[in-house]
Amino acid sequence: MRLVIATCAVDYEGRLSAHLPTATRLLMVKADGSVSVHSDDRAYKPLNWMTQPCELRAEPGRWVVSNPKGETLTITIDEVHLDVQHELGADPGLQKHGVEAQLQELLAANPGFLSQGLRLVRREYPTDIGPVDLLCRDAAGQAVAVEIKRRGEIDGVEQLARYLERLDLDGRLRPVRGILAAQRIKPQAQVLATARGIECVEVDCERLRGAGVERLTLF
Amino acid sequence: MRLVIATCAVDYEGRLSAHLPTATRLLMVKADGSVSVHSDDRAYKPLNWMTQPCELRAEPGRWVVSNPKGETLTITIDEVHLDVQHELGADPGLQKHGVEAQLQELLAANPGFLSQGLRLVRREYPTDIGPVDLLCRDAAGQAVAVEIKRRGEIDGVEQLARYLERLDLDGRLRPVRGILAAQRIKPQAQVLATARGIECVEVDCERLRGAGVERLTLF
DNA sequence: CTATATATCTCGTTG
DNA sequence: CAACGAGGTATATAG
């Protein structure tokens, strides 16, 4: 990794045109050839960048980074304040434990949490436009499709509505109830869900983790 | 901005739990207090980060970054290979010329490009769930709502469908035609649009820029 | 402040 | 390779 702090102007031509007036910034060149330009705020997003694969042609006072798609990043360098290089080696990578997968696991184990008397038929129940997270039957034997999201937004409602359309074509399932389950459901999504006849359940992950086990032992 | 290259392990606890085993990485501390951890690949995305507002407590061998939401980033440092600091000052910021705004401008000037004889009524025509990009009238005097996207995807179709629902409540507009315009429209979106009675138009930005002017001078 | 839409989104997985 | 979905999305803007 090469780190350069320089007073520079930057121009990007590609999916859009963008220009950065002259100022002092960090230029980061990584081992995979990628280049990014950082200002002194915002942890996450570079001001400008070029992802791998790309090629850097560094002349004094002017770097041109281009990629096979024909996008170019031109860095015009006025003054270099720092220029260091260090080999980092390969990174072992991030181990993460996601929320949506966990939610699905917990709700699959405790569907009664979503609606009294719900029983799981199958996780990832297939339709021709993709799998429904949970297919259940309620106490009355009616089929219930459950879409699980970390955050309930309009997309999730529309997605579930499309699944319901599909599932309703199956005589053995019709008519199918729909439940959108999420840690938090946005008002707009609530409204749309109601209009589509879809129920919304906000799930408290902590309570589910604790109470879920209790329920299992109780019934 | 402070740049540290260190052999370190990283743990994030917050919206999820994540762990980075010990390896050599770049730690970047910005003037706004934000912290990011970079490996030697990927220009854009840090391995881990904490956005402003947050607070860094740096003891030797252990940095703890926490934010008001109770999320924490813990960096356990084995060895420091580089530690430099440099004041960059405020950045003048990026000047960009986006695609969607440009598309809207061009199509507003040349609605006939979307459909023969289309005339613009108003840009950003308001509805109670948000503004429609363009409201037009076609040659027959029928109202036409146009949704403009850089890329046409399912979301865009659903969004336009919701607008059409709304606009159709207005007796002076009903029945309203819908056109989804984008540089490229994905097959799934095409299918859904057709099912919803929405027309799709793929717009070649280059041709529009050139031909748009020709059209204006011709008619 | 919350809610919404956008992004040179990035990044994975899947067909 | 394209398409689709998720993201600790981040980020800007409107209400």
Side-chain angles (χ1 to χ4, degrees):
Chain A
M1 183 183 289
R2 182 178 176 192
L3 299 172
V4 176
I5 291 179
T7 302
C8 59
V10 183
D11 287 281
Y12 165 77
E13 286 291 332
R15 279 164 279 188
L16 56 68
S17 301
H19 174 72
L20 281 167
T22 302
T24 303
R25 306 187 174 96
L26 168 68
L27 311 177
M28 184 161 43
V29 183
K30 293 191 171 183
D32 66 354
S34 62
V35 178
S36 57
V37 181
H38 278 265
S39 62
D40 211 348
D41 59 2
R42 276 176 207 115
Y44 193 87
K45 195 183 176 179
L47 286 169
N48 233 319
W49 69 93
M50 189 71 82
T51 50
Q52 200 244 357
C54 65
E55 200 183 356
L56 167 61
R57 289 177 34 177
E59 308 158 24
R62 188 188 175 84
W63 293 6
V64 179
V65 192
S66 52
N67 72 7
K69 285 189 229 161
E71 299 170 305
T72 60
L73 186 69
T74 306
I75 304 174
T76 309
I77 299 175
D78 274 13
E79 192 184 349
V80 174
H81 308 282
L82 173 80
D83 189 342
V84 296
Q85 187 139 9
H86 199 101
E87 290 306 312
L88 301 189
D91 200 282
L94 190 65
Q95 300 158 15
K96 62 167 81 170
H97 313 284
V99 173
E100 186 178 332
Q102 210 169 58
L103 251 185
Q104 189 185 122
E105 205 163 320
L106 286 165
L107 289 173
N110 308 284
F113 213 89
L114 291 169
S115 178
Q116 195 84 41
L118 220 60
R119 293 170 292 113
L120 180 68
V121 173
R122 194 188 188 304
R123 283 168 74 168
E124 304 288 349
Y125 185 90
T127 77
D128 55 359
I129 56 167
V132 182
D133 288 334
L134 305 181
L135 187 70
C136 302
R137 292 278 181 180
D138 66 16
Q142 188 180 357
V144 183
V146 181
E147 180 65 28
I148 299 167
K149 294 282 179 203
R150 195 172 60 79
R151 317 181 77 178
E153 304 183 19
I154 278 186
D155 290 6
V157 179
E158 303 282 27
Q159 193 181 337
L160 179 52
R162 289 194 296 271
Y163 288 141
L164 289 170
E165 246 179 78
R166 287 295 162 171
L167 295 171
D168 272 331
L169 298 175
D170 185 339
R172 290 161 307 175
L173 297 177
R174 185 178 49 225
V176 185
R177 276 173 66 192
I179 297 179
L180 176 67
Q183 286 190 295
R184 199 146 153 274
I185 296 176
K186 300 210 166 169
Q188 222 185 29
Q190 281 269 9
V191 170
L192 190 67
T194 305
R196 298 261 187 284
I198 288 169
E199 301 156 59
C200 289
V201 180
E202 289 195 335
V203 181
D204 185 327
C205 233
E206 299 294 317
R207 275 190 54 214
L208 179 56
R209 210 165 306 162
V213 180
E214 284 172 40
R215 292 214 169 205
L216 277 177
T217 57
L218 281 172
F219 300 97
Chain B
M1 183 183 292
R2 182 179 175 191
L3 300 171
V4 177
I5 291 179
T7 302
C8 61
V10 183
D11 287 280
Y12 165 77
E13 286 291 331
R15 279 165 278 187
L16 57 68
S17 301
H19 174 71
L20 280 168
T22 302
T24 302
R25 307 186 172 96
L26 168 68
L27 311 177
M28 184 160 43
V29 183
K30 293 192 170 184
D32 66 355
S34 62
V35 178
S36 57
V37 181
H38 278 265
S39 61
D40 210 347
D41 58 3
R42 276 177 200 115
Y44 189 87
K45 196 182 176 181
L47 286 169
N48 232 320
W49 68 94
M50 189 71 84
T51 49
Q52 200 242 0
C54 65
E55 199 183 357
L56 167 61
R57 290 176 35 177
E59 309 158 24
R62 188 188 176 84
W63 292 6
V64 178
V65 193
S66 52
N67 73 6
K69 285 189 227 162
E71 299 169 305
T72 60
L73 186 69
T74 306
I75 304 174
T76 308
I77 299 176
D78 275 12
E79 193 184 347
V80 173
H81 307 282
L82 173 79
D83 189 343
V84 296
Q85 187 138 10
H86 199 100
E87 290 306 312
L88 301 189
D91 200 281
L94 190 65
Q95 299 159 12
K96 61 166 81 171
H97 313 285
V99 172
E100 187 178 333
Q102 209 169 59
L103 253 185
Q104 189 185 124
E105 206 164 318
L106 286 165
L107 289 173
N110 307 285
F113 214 89
L114 293 168
S115 179
Q116 195 83 44
L118 221 59
R119 294 169 293 111
L120 180 68
V121 174
R122 193 186 188 306
R123 282 168 75 167
E124 304 287 347
Y125 183 89
T127 77
D128 54 1
I129 55 167
V132 182
D133 289 334
L134 303 182
L135 187 70
C136 303
R137 292 277 182 182
D138 66 16
Q142 187 180 358
V144 183
V146 181
E147 179 65 29
I148 300 167
K149 294 283 179 201
R150 193 171 61 81
R151 316 182 76 179
E153 301 183 22
I154 278 185
D155 289 7
V157 179
E158 302 283 28
Q159 194 181 338
L160 178 52
R162 289 194 295 274
Y163 287 141
L164 289 171
E165 248 180 75
R166 288 292 159 175
L167 295 171
D168 272 331
L169 297 176
D170 185 339
R172 291 162 304 175
L173 297 176
R174 184 179 50 225
V176 184
R177 274 173 67 192
I179 298 180
L180 176 66
Q183 285 189 295
R184 200 145 154 275
I185 295 177
K186 300 208 168 172
Q188 227 184 26
Q190 281 269 11
V191 170
L192 191 68
T194 305
R196 298 261 186 285
I198 289 169
E199 300 156 60
C200 289
V201 180
E202 290 195 336
V203 181
D204 184 328
C205 232
E206 299 295 317
R207 276 190 53 215
L208 179 56
R209 210 165 307 161
V213 180
E214 284 174 41
R215 291 212 169 206
L216 275 177
T217 55
L218 280 171
F219 299 98

